[in-house]
Amino acid sequence: MLKRKMFVPILLSGILLLSACSDSDNASGEAESEGDKTEIKITWRGLGDKDNLKRYLEGFEADFESENEDIDIVLSPITASEGDYFSKVALTMQSAETAPDIVSEDTFMLSADANAGYLKPLDEYVDSWDEWDNFIENIKSGTTGNDGTIYGVPTTTDSRGIWYNKEVFEAAGLPVDWQPVSWKDVYAAAETIKEANGDVVPFAMNVAKANGEAVSMQTFEMLLYGTGETLYDGDSEKWNVNGQGITDALVFVDEIMNKRDLGPSLSIALNANYSSVMTQDLLPNGGVGMVLDGNWNIANYMEGGAAPLEDVEATLGFAPFPTKDGEEPGSVTMAGGWGWSIPEKSKNHDVAWKVIQAMSSEEYQTKRALTGGTLTVRTDSAESSDYLERPLIEPATKALENAHFRPKNDLYPNVSIEIQNAVEAVASGTMSPEDAAANYKAKVSDIVGEENVY
Amino acid sequence: MEGTPNISGKKKMSDNIKSSIFLSPALILLLIFFLTPMLLTIVFSFTNLALTGSQAQNLKFVGFENFIQMFNDAELYNSIGKTLIFVLFSAIIGQCFLGFLIAFLMKGKNATFRRAIGIAVIAAWVTPEIVVGFSWVAFLGDNGTMNSIITALSGIEPIAFLFEYPMVSVVVANIWRGTAFSMMAFQAALDDIPLEVEEAAVMDGASRWRIVRNITIPIVKGTITTNLMLVTLQTLGVFTLIYAMTGGGPGNATMTLPVYMYKQAFVSYQLGYGTAISLVILIIGALFSLLYMRFLKVKI
């Protein structure tokens, strides 16, 4: 009898358990049109409570919703390390249940995500949008796939260089208006700082795999392109694996981190929080002399940023990064940037486009550049007085003159991982620059195919 | 007389139906949540499945390509090596041996003492893996407890344990976390050894070591094998602890197979290759299990 009594509850609980799984799918689908408002979910890489982009989006959300009462903007950041962000975004875009309506795409991932079919082509929208002409022409290439289709509206670009603390420089007897002309100058300045004060980290750069693309772009590619070589030859569509520049770039990492011991300790350098420790704490407080990083860090030191400074230009300088031996044109920068895209699996393409249009107006593009410390992508925003008065905007914009962009190839993200492996291996002392370069050659040849390397 | 076999046949039938009804929820759940993903893993390991890029759209069967790539992948060999070191030191030598030792030393001691030690050891085991990982990062950090003690005692510079001794750090952390399981298993087994047997041995003048070797270990042999197998399989799959503490680095110093699999699948976006690596983990686990059963001649 007891057995029979138990039978029904067990069967019921089994059925309930099974149906619970399918029920949850429906529930999330219905929620979207709740209350007659169209929900537009915006996803970007969240940075927790010191998130400049979030500050900007919250301001935009309030303005936009008061003008468009039928649209409900839902801010849905993915807080993750840089590498994990791209994986998570790719996963959410695979299903209509999870896909956001607007997604923040790094220009280097755009080709890959577009080729995967995750992103909606925007040519039709852009063609009938008169403001599209106000976008800087070569920046548009960043959100264009390698098939020539437009997959996003650019929203930021950036340059890279050496941030230096003028107080540290002064204490070490270095000029506060500093411009290195070769890598040797960088070594020399770092060694001077080291001699003057052993507690200050002389020179820091991104070397940890945990920091993802920042290692490839802010460190390795800045060095490689400064030797006169490039990562990829766009004309022949082949990847550089044999160049001496690859070894030279890794030698620089080795000299700073190991041979001359001019870098931060490995527990700082290999930490996932490297960037915030360095740019929000050590640099403004004189704990580090030089940091090779992006111009956007200016946002940290402005009002409302993570580490506001009263007079930024009195404390900090931003010097273009020199070429290896001072070769023409003297300095080098990589330029990247982000854009807004619409996932193919979003259910509200047209409304999402309306929101993107609003975010891309002159007013909001200027605000975006100011809150994020990035460089603007609109010619009219670039002329606004607020933008031109921002500290250090001049060297940041000037650096852009010699800018290189990352390879337009959907295998770049995979190659980038190998760059990060090589840099961390050298920085942590587990591989010599020569071994790491040889390993890089082998790995990249595997990824892109033996016939696509030179 | 005639009806009896018929009735019992009917009864058997209805018994079969009954038991299959009872079993069906469990079987269905197993099928959906366990067997299907496992079969899918095997299928995907023969494809070029990718998270992004044009491959993500054009799923193709590539035959044994992933496995051929593995043969030429120096990093995979490195990972297998690191995994074996990690399992050997943290599971077999660390957890099993230490767990046995603690259980053995606690046998027959007073209950309060046993309880105090027991709680201390088990506390580590019930703590979630990610919390254990962060606790050890904090403990071993430049300003962590460990370095504070070392600096206070000897005055030397803080040691960056996670970077200078990464493998030792994760091995010690895993031992700390996992020993409780072995200890509890052995405690239960040791408590079951009849006192008379040991007493008889003592009467015969056997040394303590002799008793352990010839009486205790043979009696708990079944538990040793089961425990070795469980702990080995569990340790083979450890991901969270290592990922939180070192992320597989610095370089590839702690890149065990689960971490490498994750990196290939979700950092390099090569899901197909990642699933193929997961099969390698499965094979290594099976080999270990076979080895234990053979070596210790125990039937499960």
Side-chain angles (χ1 to χ4, degrees):
Chain A
M1 275 316 278
L2 193 79
K3 275 184 189 166
R4 192 165 295 168
K5 266 185 196 162
M6 279 170 63
F7 174 70
V8 177
I10 290 176
L11 196 70
L12 271 179
S13 59
I15 293 167
L16 276 177
L17 198 66
L18 284 174
S19 59
C21 306
S22 53
D23 251 14
S24 61
D25 290 351
N26 296 335
S28 66
E30 279 160 17
E32 300 230 343
S33 55
E34 202 180 324
D36 297 333
K37 281 192 179 187
T38 314
E39 263 189 31
I40 294 295
K41 189 162 93 175
I42 305 182
T43 289
W44 73 97
R45 183 184 159 220
L47 296 171
D49 55 345
K50 288 171 178 172
D51 189 342
N52 293 323
L53 185 48
K54 188 177 177 192
R55 265 198 301 144
Y56 158 79
L57 285 172
E58 281 170 350
F60 170 77
E61 183 190 6
D63 293 352
F64 185 82
E65 284 180 354
S66 66
E67 282 167 29
N68 299 275
E69 286 182 351
D70 55 334
I71 298 173
D72 181 19
I73 291 182
V74 178
L75 301 183
S76 167
I78 293 179
T79 304
S81 70
E82 197 164 271
D84 284 348
Y85 171 74
F86 302 120
S87 312
K88 289 188 176 189
V89 161
L91 288 170
T92 62
M93 290 193 293
Q94 287 185 348
S95 149
E97 300 300 332
T98 53
D101 300 295
I102 298 177
V103 64
S104 175
E105 281 272 333
D106 195 328
T107 46
F108 88 93
M109 280 302 290
L110 190 118
S111 292
D113 282 349
N115 287 352
Y118 295 150
L119 303 179
K120 182 177 171 55
L122 301 180
D123 297 72
E124 263 180 53
Y125 290 125
V126 166
D127 284 344
S128 56
W129 185 37
D130 49 6
E131 297 202 32
W132 185 238
D133 294 337
N134 294 328
F135 285 75
I136 298 168
E137 205 50 45
N138 70 346
I139 303 288
K140 288 180 185 170
S141 73
T143 54
T144 309
N146 44 3
D147 55 355
T149 310
I150 294 162
Y151 287 102
V153 175
T155 148
T156 67
T157 186
D158 43 39
S159 61
R160 285 144 183 78
I162 303 177
W163 283 92
Y164 61 98
N165 185 303
K166 291 184 177 170
E167 286 156 13
V168 171
F169 267 51
E170 210 160 16
L174 289 162
V176 290
D177 196 12
W178 178 66
Q179 173 52 59
V181 297
S182 69
W183 294 1
K184 280 201 191 82
D185 285 0
V186 178
Y187 293 141
E191 270 162 351
T192 312
I193 294 170
K194 189 182 176 185
E195 277 162 30
N197 185 349
D199 290 336
V200 172
V201 177
F203 185 94
M205 57 193 158
N206 278 287
V207 294
K209 282 188 283 192
N211 293 314
E213 183 60 15
V215 177
S216 308
M217 204 176 177
Q218 268 95 284
T219 299
F220 183 82
E221 288 160 24
M222 289 290 283
L223 293 162
L224 177 68
Y225 283 67
T227 66
E229 290 181 22
T230 59
L231 210 52
Y232 174 75
D233 183 52
D235 296 331
S236 65
E237 300 188 340
K238 287 186 195 301
W239 294 84
N240 174 10
V241 296
N242 288 313
Q244 177 61 29
I246 295 170
T247 313
D248 287 346
L250 293 170
V251 165
F252 181 91
V253 174
D254 194 34
E255 289 286 332
I256 293 284
M257 296 298 295
N258 304 313
K259 293 241 170 73
R260 299 179 195 231
D261 193 19
L262 300 169
S265 72
L266 285 181
S267 29
I268 295 178
L270 296 189
N271 196 304
N273 297 325
Y274 158 85
S275 185
S276 51
V277 169
M278 208 42 86
T279 59
Q280 298 174 3
D281 180 19
L282 294 182
L283 180 66
N285 296 320
V288 60
M290 293 173 273
V291 181
L292 177 54
D293 215 307
N295 74 290
W296 60 82
N297 284 299
I298 187 72
N300 290 324
Y301 316 122
M302 306 291 289
E303 208 186 319
L309 289 172
E310 239 168 65
D311 185 355
V312 181
E313 294 194 26
T315 317
L316 300 176
F318 184 76
F321 193 70
T323 50
K324 180 169 173 271
D325 298 310
E327 298 94 334
E328 283 302 310
S331 74
V332 65
T333 189
M334 297 302 295
W338 293 71
W340 293 117
S341 297
I342 303 177
E344 190 67 70
K345 295 241 161 108
S346 148
K347 290 174 194 138
N348 297 301
H349 290 162
D350 291 346
V351 186
W353 171 250
K354 193 178 166 189
V355 175
I356 288 183
Q357 267 183 319
M359 285 198 284
S360 307
S361 68
E362 184 198 344
E363 184 195 350
Y364 279 101
Q365 283 288 11
T366 311
K367 278 191 184 157
R368 172 78 194 264
L370 287 173
T371 29
T374 48
L375 300 176
T376 189
V377 293
R378 277 182 72 126
T379 45
D380 41 11
S381 295
E383 285 157 14
S384 89
S385 56
D386 283 349
Y387 182 73
L388 288 173
E389 277 164 19
R390 189 173 81 186
L392 300 173
I393 190 82
E394 198 210 317
T397 313
K398 196 166 176 289
L400 214 52
E401 284 167 14
N402 302 319
H404 295 275
F405 292 88
R406 285 167 290 185
K408 270 216 131 356
N409 184 302
D410 75 339
L411 286 173
Y412 171 74
N414 306 66
V415 173
S416 178
I417 300 295
E418 294 311 324
I419 295 177
Q420 293 154 33
N421 287 338
V423 172
E424 180 174 309
V426 170
S428 62
T430 41
M431 265 193 206
S432 71
E434 291 74 19
D435 289 350
N439 192 42
Y440 175 78
K441 177 182 173 178
K443 288 286 180 173
V444 173
S445 308
D446 255 3
I447 293 170
V448 303
E450 297 280 353
E451 66 283 6
N452 295 320
V453 300
Y454 70 92
Chain B
M1 273 304 278
E2 259 187 298
T4 318
N6 210 354
I7 291 169
S8 78
K10 246 186 196 168
K11 198 165 182 276
K12 229 182 193 170
M13 263 256 282
S14 76
D15 267 359
N16 276 342
I17 293 172
K18 239 191 220 164
S19 53
S20 44
I21 291 176
F22 274 112
L23 270 174
S24 60
L27 284 178
I28 293 170
L29 288 179
L30 268 181
L31 199 73
I32 297 175
F33 295 110
F34 187 70
L35 221 56
T36 318
M38 226 163 80
L39 290 175
L40 275 179
T41 304
I42 296 174
V43 172
F44 283 144
S45 68
F46 291 95
T47 66
N48 66 350
L49 186 68
L51 199 52
T52 185
S54 47
Q55 290 176 354
Q57 254 195 139
N58 309 314
L59 185 66
K60 268 193 309 210
F61 277 93
V62 293
F64 286 91
E65 208 172 273
N66 286 326
F67 297 92
I68 294 167
Q69 190 187 338
M70 268 189 214
F71 274 108
N72 303 319
D73 186 352
E75 273 180 70
L76 182 83
Y77 293 122
N78 167 67
S79 287
I80 293 177
K82 300 289 182 211
T83 310
L84 294 179
I85 291 172
F86 183 69
V87 169
L88 180 70
F89 285 97
S90 84
I92 301 173
I93 295 179
Q95 293 182 15
C96 285
F97 181 74
L98 197 66
F100 185 85
L101 195 70
I102 297 175
F104 182 73
L105 293 177
M106 275 163 66
K107 186 174 155 65
K109 296 290 185 300
N110 93 41
T112 323
F113 175 75
R114 283 181 64 145
R115 209 169 294 144
I117 299 282
I119 289 172
V121 179
I122 291 168
W125 188 61
V126 296
T127 312
E129 211 173 330
I130 185 75
V131 178
V132 172
F134 281 120
S135 307
W136 275 88
V137 169
F139 180 68
L140 297 176
D142 283 1
N143 304 315
T145 320
M146 186 75 174
N147 272 315
S148 303
I149 295 172
I150 292 176
T151 315
L153 290 182
S154 62
I156 56 169
E157 287 280 296
I159 302 164
F161 288 101
L162 290 174
F163 303 100
E164 284 171 43
Y165 309 101
M167 187 50 100
V168 178
S169 302
V170 292
V171 162
V172 170
N174 196 46
I175 293 175
W176 182 82
R177 176 178 144 78
T179 302
F181 182 82
S182 303
M183 182 196 80
M184 285 188 290
F186 287 130
Q187 241 174 9
L190 290 177
D191 286 346
D192 282 348
I193 299 176
L195 274 177
E196 306 84 61
V197 185
E198 282 180 18
E199 270 164 16
V202 174
M203 297 298 271
D204 288 343
S207 67
R208 200 156 175 198
W209 167 238
R210 191 87 199 264
I211 296 174
V212 171
R213 205 185 52 179
N214 291 2
I215 296 175
T216 315
I217 291 183
I219 293 180
V220 298
K221 207 163 89 175
T223 311
I224 295 178
T225 321
T226 317
N227 186 59
L228 266 176
M229 210 179 298
L230 288 175
V231 167
T232 304
L233 293 180
Q234 210 267 332
T235 308
L236 262 180
V238 167
F239 169 79
T240 317
L241 186 76
I242 299 180
Y243 193 71
M245 286 179 71
T246 63
N252 289 329
T254 52
M255 188 76 80
T256 57
L257 280 170
V259 182
Y260 188 57
M261 176 184 85
Y262 172 81
K263 296 246 160 172
Q264 288 300 318
F266 293 104
V267 179
S268 302
Y269 316 113
Q270 298 304 314
L271 292 175
Y273 192 53
T275 45
I277 295 170
S278 73
L279 288 186
V280 173
I281 303 179
L282 193 75
I283 292 167
I284 292 181
L287 284 178
F288 263 113
S289 306
L290 279 177
L291 204 74
Y292 290 147
M293 290 205 278
R294 258 285 161 85
F295 188 63
L296 293 160
K297 297 194 185 93
V298 177
K299 284 208 178 92
I300 304 277

